[in-house]
Every structure is written in structure tokens, then in C-alpha cells.
């Protein structure tokens, strides 16, 4: 096995190890497989391991087994829940650092706190292992088709890994920021801006709804998102939410029915919805949206596309129907 101390003069092999096959990591894995990468992975759940093995990944029974299957210098991607899970994957008894060697590279593509990234980078540096912090924006759709990458670490390692980042990103959708933790810091600020924008949109539409005017909020969202200075993906998602509700709330059922698992396709992203239809009362079908259950967090503190749609749908639902 190679004990190379420098990667800068070597060409990156299209081979990576990976742990974290949720909605984000799973999308990234499938995207890399389609781009011709040889991917070795580990998943705790057998059904997940089978799924990605069927898709072409080389799944291993443990983290250490993944590392041992890689040829040096190794590149290992983490896309798991921020916090203790990352430390365990790196430094626990079966952690990957126990089997990595000098010159190998770890990429934390989750939403880790930047100070944790600095600490982990320093600890790995003592072992001669490179650490790259990668802030990934774009949600499951971006993970599957190409996202927005904010990359921290050292410049030489970034240059070496650039073919990988190019394949993970949307067109021209990646940038390097010098210093370990810089990528996750940039993503942290990005999230703060995003949440502030969502709050402003929600409050603005609530004011519209409560005003003396009879605004059609879907029409307002349409015009806001067509050439105005607040035109944005977030306003576009709110518009989609209003349109979804418009479809759902015009469905008529002759009896009490509970529909679980209604699948709605939005630009290839499947929403898993639950709709409860209440029985006839006074000749009318009363119904209310119980929950739009979107796929679970693949990463703590990341508001995925599906979760954004969930929030916007619920917000639209409350504004339109005033349902408790």
C-alpha cells in the first residue's frame, strides 16, 4: 500500500471511499457512479448496502474494510450527521483514521460546525492525513445532479481533488476558500442567510393574507418570481407549494378515505404525502392536510430541498386554509 507524502504531482484516480448513503450521500454516490467513479462504501443497514451494491457501488462490511479496499493515496468522503457521528467515523475503534496512511485524504461533505472541522483537521494533520471541509448546497436534487460546493483546506489538496469536485458540482458550481474550516464556515453563513430569507418570505405572505385585500397568494408568488428583485428559488418553491395545494384541495372523494404515500413529482424530486379525507358533513367533503412527510434529514442543520418544500407547503396551507 502506498505511503505517498504528497499528492500534488499525482493524477487523481477515479476511486473514492464513502460513508453516508442517505438522501444527500445517496444522491452523491449515484451521481459519482454515473460519472464513472469506482465507489467503495459502507452502510449500517443491509437494505441500503444492497441498494447501492445493485447500483454499482462496492459495499464493504465495515468502515475499516472500505479503507483497506482503496488504493493509496486514498480519498474518503463523509456525508453523515454533524457532531459525534463524524468524530466516531474518524477516530473511534473502527474509525477510518486507524487504517488511513500518510498522504490520504478525508473529505467531510456534511454540515459540520467549522470549529469542529478545524479541530479534526489538526488531529488528522498529526497523522499526515489531509482534511478537506466541503459545504454542499443544493439539497437531494443537487446531490443527485450536481450541487454548489464551498471547499476549505489547503490549495494543493484542492487542486489534486478538483476533478472530483467538478464531477460533484453543477456547472462552474464549486469554489475553494483557503484554510481548514473555511468551506463549512461559508456554508454556515449561507444557511443563516437562507433561513432569514425564508422567514422574511413567510412573514410577508402572512401580512398579505391578513390585509383587507383579497390577495390570491399564488398569483402574488407568480409575479414576485417574475423579474422582481426578490425573484428567487425560495419564492419559486413557495409558488410550487401553492400549486400543489391547489391540486390536492380540488380532489373530491365520495367517502371517508385515508391516502398514504401519495407521490408527487416536482422536477424529479418525490414528495411522500399523507392526506386525510374527512367524511361528508352537510353534503361537503371536509378534508385537511395532515402532513407532507418528506424524507428524513441526511444531515443535521442542512435544510434539504424536500424540507424546504415541506415548510413552504405547510406555510401555504395555513395561509390559504387557516387550519389548526
Amino acid at each position: 500500500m502506498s505511503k505517498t507524502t504528497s499528492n500534488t504531482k499525482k493524477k487523481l484516480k477515479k476511486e473514492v471511499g464513502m460513508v453516508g448513503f442517505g438522501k444527500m450521500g445517496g444522491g452523491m454516490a449515484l451521481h459519482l457512479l454515473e460519472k464513472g467513479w469506482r465507489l467503495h462504501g459502507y452502510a449500517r443497514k443491509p437494505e441500503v448496502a444492497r441498494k447501492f451494491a445493485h447500483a454499482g457501488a462496492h459495499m464493504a462490511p465495515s468502515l475499516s474494510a472500505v479503507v483497506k479496499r482503496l488504493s493509496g493515496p486514498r480519498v474518503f468522503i463523509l456525508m453523515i450527521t454533524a457532531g459525534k457521528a463524524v468524530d466516531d467515523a474518524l477516530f473511534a475503534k473502527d474509525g477510518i483514521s486507524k487504517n488511513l496512511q500518510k498522504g490520504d485524504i478525508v473529505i467531510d461533505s456534511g454540515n459540520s460546525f467549522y470549529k469542529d472541522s478545524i479541530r479534526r483537521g489538526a488531529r488528522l494533520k498529526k497523522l499526515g492525513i489531509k482534511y478537506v471541509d466541503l459545504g454542499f448546497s443544493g439539497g437531494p436534487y443537487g446531490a443527485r445532479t450536481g450541487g454548489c460546493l464551498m471547499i476549505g483546506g489547503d490549495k494543493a489538496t484542492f487542486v489534486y481533488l478538483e476533478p472530483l469536485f467538478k464531477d460533484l458540482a453543477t456547472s462552474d458550481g464549486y469554489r475553494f476558500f483557503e484554510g481548514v474550516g473555511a468551506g463549512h464556515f461559508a456554508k454556515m453563513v449561507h444557511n443563516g442567510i437562507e433561513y432569514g430569507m425564508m422567514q422574511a418570505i413567510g412573514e410577508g405572505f402572512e401580512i398579505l393574507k391578513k390585509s383587507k385585500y383579497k390577495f390570491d397568494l399564488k398569483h402574488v408568488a407568480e409575479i414576485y418570481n417574475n423579474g422582481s428583485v426578490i425573484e428567487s428559488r425560495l419564492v419559486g418553491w413557495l409558488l410550487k407549494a401553492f400549486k400543489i395545494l391547489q391540486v390536492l384541495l380540488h380532489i373530491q372523494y365520495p367517502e371517508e378515505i385515508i391516502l398514504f404515500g401519495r407521490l408527487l413529482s416536482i422536477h424529479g424530486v418525490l414528495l411522500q404525502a399523507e392526506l386525510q379525507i374527512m367524511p361528508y358533513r352537510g353534503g361537503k367533503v371536509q378534508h385537511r392536510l395532515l402532513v407532507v412527510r418528506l424524507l428524513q434529514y441526511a444531515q443535521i442543520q442542512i435544510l434539504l430541498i424536500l424540507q424546504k418544500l415541506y415548510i413552504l407547503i405547510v406555510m401555504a396551507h395555513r395561509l390559504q386554509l387557516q387550519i389548526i
Side-chain angles (χ1 to χ4, degrees), residues 11-297:
K11 182 179 179 181
L12 178 65
K13 303 182 302 295
K14 296 192 75 168
E15 179 186 57
V16 295
M18 187 170 180
V19 61
F21 290 86
K23 293 300 170 287
M24 290 294 290
M28 290 170 61
L30 293 174
H31 189 54
L32 286 175
L33 288 169
E34 289 176 354
K35 291 285 186 177
W37 288 78
R38 182 177 177 85
L39 191 147
H40 300 268
Y42 166 69
R44 289 181 299 174
K45 296 181 179 180
E47 63 272 22
V48 175
R50 287 193 295 269
K51 172 185 174 182
F52 286 93
H54 182 72
H58 301 270
M59 303 303 289
S62 66
L63 283 172
S64 59
V66 176
V67 175
K68 291 174 182 177
R69 291 182 181 186
L70 295 169
S71 57
R74 303 168 189 81
V75 177
F76 199 101
I77 300 173
L78 306 175
M79 182 45 112
I80 55 179
T81 303
K84 184 177 182 297
V86 178
D87 284 316
D88 288 347
L90 289 172
F91 306 116
K93 184 177 180 180
D94 190 43
I96 61 173
S97 66
K98 300 294 190 295
N99 293 285
L100 291 174
Q101 297 180 350
K102 194 172 183 179
D104 291 343
I105 302 169
V106 172
I107 302 172
D108 181 0
S109 60
N111 214 35
S112 292
F113 183 46
Y114 78 99
K115 288 186 178 180
D116 289 339
S117 298
I118 294 171
R119 170 178 56 79
R120 292 167 186 142
R123 186 170 174 179
L124 290 172
K125 186 177 181 179
K126 292 178 181 179
L127 302 173
I129 299 167
K130 304 284 188 178
Y131 179 86
V132 174
D133 53 293
L134 168 60
F136 196 112
S137 181
Y141 184 77
R144 187 66 183 83
T145 62
C148 168
L149 279 57
M150 293 151 266
I151 305 157
D154 69 88
K155 185 64 177 289
T157 304
F158 163 73
V159 171
Y160 175 70
L161 294 173
E162 192 167 6
L164 172 62
F165 298 138
K166 186 175 182 180
D167 279 351
L168 283 172
T170 190
S171 178
D172 197 32
Y174 64 95
R175 289 293 183 274
F176 170 72
F177 304 100
E178 185 74 42
V180 172
H184 283 155
F185 189 91
K187 181 59 165 54
M188 176 183 70
V189 175
H190 160 285
N191 286 354
I193 293 170
E194 175 188 358
Y195 304 157
M197 291 170 67
M198 291 184 68
Q199 180 73 16
I201 292 169
E203 292 182 1
F205 274 80
E206 184 176 12
I207 292 170
L208 288 165
K209 180 63 179 179
K210 292 183 176 180
S211 75
K212 65 179 181 180
Y213 302 103
K214 303 295 184 181
F215 286 109
D216 182 321
L217 299 182
K218 181 173 74 71
H219 289 167
V220 174
E222 285 174 340
I223 196 62
Y224 280 0
N225 213 44
N226 188 14
S228 82
V229 295
I230 62 170
E231 180 179 2
S232 66
R233 184 177 291 186
L234 293 175
V235 175
W237 281 333
L238 179 59
L239 177 58
K240 288 187 177 75
F242 284 133
K243 289 179 178 178
I244 291 169
L245 283 171
Q246 191 174 53
V247 172
L248 289 176
L249 300 177
H250 280 80
I251 297 175
Q252 296 294 312
Y253 294 92
E255 58 187 14
E256 181 176 11
I257 302 172
I258 297 179
L259 295 176
F260 293 99
R262 176 175 295 277
L263 295 180
L264 304 173
S265 179
I266 300 179
H267 294 292
V269 180
L270 292 181
L271 305 182
Q272 190 175 12
E274 294 183 355
L275 185 65
Q276 176 173 323
I277 309 302
M278 305 301 289
Y280 273 112
R281 291 182 184 174
K284 294 182 179 179
V285 176
Q286 294 183 346
H287 55 285
R288 61 188 174 116
L289 189 64
L290 287 181
V291 64
V292 177
R293 181 187 297 165
L294 307 177
L295 304 171
Q296 294 179 341
Y297 283 175

